[in-house]
Amino acid sequence: KTKQWFEQPTNEQINSIKKWLLYAVTEAEATLGQKTGQLKLHMVYDMAIDKFKWLSFVSFEMFSSWVDEALVEMKEMLEKNEHIKAIVNDK
């Protein structure tokens, strides 16, 4: 599966990571709650490095910008879906 992933064009790889980051930022939000931005960012970074070892070669600034995009999407998702919002808030 790793070989197949690396054979994808770079844009597809990045899009795959960004989709996964939506899960990671939602999990961090549920675990750490609001007003813990830097802690959540580091939690997501650690989760990502565990899952995608090679991400350590991506600059932290680039990774952080991807996380920011995922956060925007997560906030929109929480506003639109009360069930997901309840799950995140109940953890």
Side-chain angles (χ1 to χ4, degrees), residues 11-87:
N11 285 344
E12 288 181 31
Q13 292 172 347
I14 292 170
N15 285 335
S16 294
I17 290 169
K18 287 180 178 181
K19 287 177 185 176
W20 180 85
L21 283 172
L22 177 59
Y23 156 75
V25 298
T26 303
E27 187 66 28
E29 180 74 18
T31 302
L32 298 174
Q34 297 179 359
K35 308 294 182 200
T36 58
Q38 287 300 309
L39 288 175
K40 287 187 282 194
L41 176 59
H42 287 284
M43 179 181 174
V44 170
Y45 183 76
D46 289 345
M47 291 169 65
I49 295 300
D50 281 347
K51 184 157 181 76
F52 309 102
K53 304 276 188 239
W54 59 268
L55 265 179
S56 61
F57 295 106
V58 173
S59 74
F60 190 75
E61 291 78 19
M62 176 67 74
F63 180 82
S64 183
S65 73
W66 295 346
V67 169
D68 288 343
E69 290 176 33
L71 285 169
V72 169
E73 189 173 346
M74 180 198 71
K75 287 176 184 177
E76 290 172 0
M77 182 179 64
L78 294 176
E79 287 175 5
K80 294 177 183 176
N81 191 318
E82 290 297 319
H83 296 289
I84 295 173
K85 185 177 182 177
I87 290 168

